[in-house]
Amino acid sequence: MESSSRQIQTIVTKSAARLVARASDSRSLTGETMAPRVAAAVEKYLLRNDPNTPDAEIAKFIDELQADDLCLIIACERGDESAWNDLVERFTATVRSAARSVSPNEDAAEDLAQSIWAELYGLRKRNDGTPASKLAYYSGRGSLAGWLRAVVGQLAVDVFRKQSRLVQTEEDADLDRLAKDANVPAGHAVFAGIATPEESMSNRYAQADMQQALNTAVQELDAEDRLLVKLYYFDNLRLREAGVVLGVHEATASRRLTRIQTDLRKRVTKILVDERGWTQAETEKSFAEVAQHMDTNLEALLSK
Amino acid sequence: MKQETNKEMDLLLRRLARRPDGSASNNDDLLDHLDADELNAYAENALPSTARMRYTEHLAECARCRELVVSLSGAAGVVLAPEAIKAAEPSGFRKFLGSLFSPMVLHYAAPALGLIGVAIIGLVLLSRPESNTDFVVQVPREAPAAGNAASPAPSAPGFSSYDNNNAAVDKNDAAPKQEAPRKSGEQPAPVPNAPPSVNVTAEVRQDAATGAAAQPAPQESPAAPKTADSSEAKKREEEAQKDQTAGRKTVVANEAPPQAEKKEVEISRRQVSDLPLVDAQKSRGRGIGGSVQASRPGSVQRDGTDDKDHNFVETRSVAGRRFRKEGGVWIDTAYNSARTTTTLARNSEQFRALVADEPAIQTIADQLDGEIVVVWKGRPYRIR
């Protein structure tokens, strides 16, 4: 164990030296000064998942770090004023743009941007009195501009979260009302004639079973498939946007979604037949009925 | 159908997403959210695969982080190329078949398999005790000269020159032809290393399509009662004369059938006296010197000469078998062309195996030159 730690340390030191060498402006930093930040990144993104990560992979990981951005940030952390000036000069526009995109108005965006710089500079103090600078969380793995946008977004979420939730809740309520309407005898009667109370109750139980089975089936999807479902259905993203998050093309995302839908149907059918005692015919019928109701409800909503 | 199916699932999933109870949705408050560095690295696709998988799991459950990643991804402006559609992964068996029939394998395996197949077929054919490839012996005989318009039969596959020679001989043969259409009888079992003797009589029967058969039959075994068959021989002579006057072709070989039609000739017992002498050698314009045995009807062993005598047939007795030389082939008088004949080359493995078991055959092969048809233990062999 010790030998592997020393070995990793050796690799980190050598790779950090290489990183400094390839930076266009190393800002008088050396491999030794970079090594702790680099080691932390290796620990966070590689060794935490796999302690036995091969040396070559560690070296490759370090070689892919953003050398210039990392040198800039570390120089800022060390109090290098010129580095700070460079940081502000280069990234003020980025921070402002990010703040504007998540803020309801210009004033809020300006306030947000100022808060960001305060966070970065470490104006906040930790409990022990040490500056709490967010700069320490930058690993150099992604770009500095993207990291700054992420910082802005996180802060904005905290600040504006209540407002956005309120909006969603209202929209959900409309749809939920419609969904409930579909279950009551009157709503049901619009599509399938007047249902008896027994039929209505039976339908509600059937729909509940189906929703539960679908919920279970979604939870059983692998992480990427589940993320795609969440992005597309829960976050209402377009396939192109969902594909960007997943790092795939829109067409790929579309194919995956089609496959997921097919797999989910099979899984839901299996759950209903094996665990709830439904027959195949009942399952097929229920699929069609629930979908028909939803379809009509959406049309009714859109026509308002 | 699939579109309809997917539409149903699409609607069901939308409904699930709008449930207020949070099922299959989010557990924001319970999770440690991703920090800015992790969010940004994920959005820029700059994470190692194992770390990315871990964060994907979190994002699937955390709406807050998901929202941030979505906005960061849009801002990052990562350009994604369409993925090539991969064919469905074939099953293991299909992969195996695919590897068997890959061009590389076919390039080398197909010729190798072909060679192996040819070798196997060759071995099978060689190892068969009875071969069907041999032809049946034709013993063509022309009708007597007077009314006989027989002409030399062309060589047909399956017919040896023996037939042609006989045809030619028959053509020149003025002697009345002996016909003895008889069904093939049993051949006497030759005794290995027994003293040479005239043993088998044969008769020839012609295919009905070509007319009466007329052929010389090997001389009769001396053991056979001559007197009993003499009357029969006379009858045959009379028939031959009738044929002759009718001008019928009696030589089978003259009407050489196409390759597909083989006339079967049965050689059965026959009196030696029925057999005319045939000068096969002379018909080919060659003479035979030396001590050869010419058999005449009724003779047992007789040395003869090949000269102006057109009815001369060379015969020899070796290792208890009697052979007539016809068409350059020494033919065992007991030979029945109806039986399948095994063809052997003198230096072949099969021949060596045979003579290892039957040394007398080696003696025969040594003493008789050229091609030999010998009947040994009831089985005909053609030795080349």
Side-chain angles (χ1 to χ4, degrees), chain A residues 39-234:
Chain A
V42 168
E43 172 62 31
K44 181 178 182 180
Y45 291 117
L46 283 180
L47 299 179
R48 191 188 297 180
N49 298 311
D50 181 12
N52 298 321
T53 304
D55 295 348
E57 200 171 323
I58 295 173
K60 182 170 177 285
F61 174 87
I62 297 170
D63 289 341
E64 291 173 350
L65 295 177
Q66 305 287 334
D68 284 311
D69 290 343
L70 195 56
C71 287
L72 176 61
I73 290 299
I74 292 175
C76 291
E77 281 183 325
R78 292 166 67 90
D80 186 338
E81 286 297 324
S82 65
W84 265 112
N85 292 336
D86 286 344
L87 180 68
V88 172
E89 189 178 329
R90 283 170 59 186
F91 294 103
T92 294
T94 301
V95 170
R96 193 170 287 156
S97 169
R100 220 179 280 126
S101 67
V102 295
S103 301
N105 52 57
E106 194 64 33
D107 290 336
E110 190 59 34
D111 290 342
L112 186 60
Q114 292 301 324
S115 301
I116 292 297
W117 288 117
E119 292 272 355
L120 293 177
Y121 198 73
L123 293 177
R124 279 195 306 112
K125 301 280 186 195
R126 293 196 178 90
N127 294 338
D128 58 0
T130 55
S133 171
K134 279 192 182 295
L135 291 178
Y137 294 100
Y138 178 67
S139 69
R141 190 63 192 172
S143 66
L144 184 54
W147 180 77
L148 288 169
R149 278 193 287 271
V151 171
V152 170
Q154 274 190 318
L155 194 61
V157 165
D158 290 337
V159 171
F160 301 118
R161 197 173 179 191
K162 280 187 181 177
Q163 272 187 344
S164 61
R165 257 195 187 162
L166 189 63
V167 171
Q168 279 182 338
T169 303
E170 286 177 356
E171 287 177 354
D172 287 340
D174 283 336
L175 291 167
D176 288 339
R177 204 162 39 244
L178 284 168
K180 282 178 190 164
D181 288 345
N183 291 331
V184 300
H188 191 73
V190 172
F191 312 116
I194 299 173
T196 65
E198 290 78 15
E199 285 173 350
S200 300
M201 184 172 291
S202 170
N203 288 334
R204 276 202 291 273
Y205 285 142
Q207 286 166 19
D209 276 353
M210 178 154 285
Q211 286 292 312
Q212 249 181 336
L214 183 57
N215 188 32
T216 305
V218 168
Q219 289 303 109
E220 289 174 355
L221 292 173
D222 67 25
E224 275 217 0
D225 289 349
R226 199 160 70 248
L227 179 58
L228 177 57
V229 168
K230 295 291 182 69
L231 290 169
Y232 186 73
Y233 289 106
F234 290 77

Side-chain angles (χ1 to χ4, degrees), chain B residues 195-199 219 293 300-301 315-323 330 364 367-368:
Chain B
S197 62
V198 177
N199 41 22
Q219 52 274 37
Q293 292 182 348
V300 176
Q301 284 186 354
T315 62
R316 287 185 71 176
S317 292
V318 182
R321 311 299 305 161
R322 189 159 185 84
F323 298 90
W330 288 104
I364 294 169
Q367 293 198 15
L368 299 176

Side-chain angles (χ1 to χ4, degrees), chain B residues 268-332:
Chain B
S268 60
R269 290 179 179 278
R270 195 193 154 148
Q271 288 186 357
V272 173
S273 58
D274 295 332
L275 303 177
L277 287 177
V278 176
D279 186 356
Q281 295 304 323
K282 186 171 181 181
S283 68
R284 294 195 303 206
R286 286 191 291 163
I288 297 179
S291 58
V292 295
Q293 292 182 348
S295 63
R296 290 180 182 274
S299 65
V300 176
Q301 284 186 354
R302 191 176 295 189
D303 293 332
T305 55
D306 173 22
D307 48 14
K308 301 163 189 172
D309 192 349
H310 296 292
N311 295 327
F312 179 79
V313 176
E314 296 176 6
T315 62
R316 287 185 71 176
S317 292
V318 182
R321 311 299 305 161
R322 189 159 185 84
F323 298 90
R324 298 165 63 84
K325 190 160 189 181
E326 292 182 352
V329 179
W330 288 104
I331 298 175
D332 194 330

Side-chain angles (χ1 to χ4, degrees), chain A residues 44-46 48-49 57 61 137-144 146-147 149-151 153-154 157-158 161 165 172 175-176 179 183 207 210-211 214-215 218-219 223-224 226-227 229-237 243-249 252 255-256 258 261-262 264-265 268 287-288 290-292 294-295 298, chain B residues 1-2 4-20 23-29 33-57 59-64 66-76 78 80-85:
Chain A
K44 181 178 182 180
Y45 291 117
L46 283 180
R48 191 188 297 180
N49 298 311
E57 200 171 323
F61 174 87
Y137 294 100
Y138 178 67
S139 69
R141 190 63 192 172
S143 66
L144 184 54
W147 180 77
R149 278 193 287 271
V151 171
Q154 274 190 318
V157 165
D158 290 337
R161 197 173 179 191
R165 257 195 187 162
D172 287 340
L175 291 167
D176 288 339
N183 291 331
Q207 286 166 19
M210 178 154 285
Q211 286 292 312
L214 183 57
N215 188 32
V218 168
Q219 289 303 109
E224 275 217 0
R226 199 160 70 248
L227 179 58
V229 168
K230 295 291 182 69
L231 290 169
Y232 186 73
Y233 289 106
F234 290 77
D235 299 340
N236 294 313
L237 293 187
V244 170
V245 172
L246 291 170
V248 299
H249 194 268
T252 305
R255 282 195 297 274
R256 277 193 197 176
T258 302
Q261 288 169 346
T262 306
L264 283 174
R265 188 189 177 96
V268 168
F287 271 123
V290 171
Q292 188 184 24
M294 270 303 297
D295 204 6
L298 284 174
Chain B
M1 180 64 184
K2 193 172 182 181
E4 193 63 37
T5 301
N6 287 346
K7 188 185 172 189
E8 290 170 357
M9 284 311 301
D10 184 75
L11 292 169
L12 281 167
L13 283 164
R14 288 185 193 282
R15 182 174 186 171
L16 179 70
R18 289 182 186 117
R19 286 175 69 89
S23 55
S25 60
N26 309 306
N27 301 303
D28 289 9
D29 298 330
H33 299 294
L34 303 182
D35 62 36
D37 195 71
E38 290 164 334
L39 291 167
N40 180 50
Y42 192 98
E44 293 183 358
N45 210 10
L47 287 171
S49 57
T50 47
R52 185 176 177 86
M53 186 58 65
R54 183 156 57 88
Y55 299 138
T56 300
E57 192 70 45
L59 290 170
E61 300 302 323
C62 179
R64 172 185 161 155
R66 210 159 56 231
E67 187 181 346
L68 286 167
V69 165
V70 168
S71 65
L72 290 171
S73 298
V78 176
L80 300 159
E83 199 176 80
I85 300 173

Side-chain angles (χ1 to χ4, degrees), chain B residues 155-177:
Chain B
S155 297
F159 289 72
S160 70
S161 55
Y162 156 79
D163 302 318
N164 295 333
N165 289 330
N166 279 290
V169 165
D170 288 339
K171 182 176 169 185
N172 299 324
D173 190 59
K177 204 165 24 168

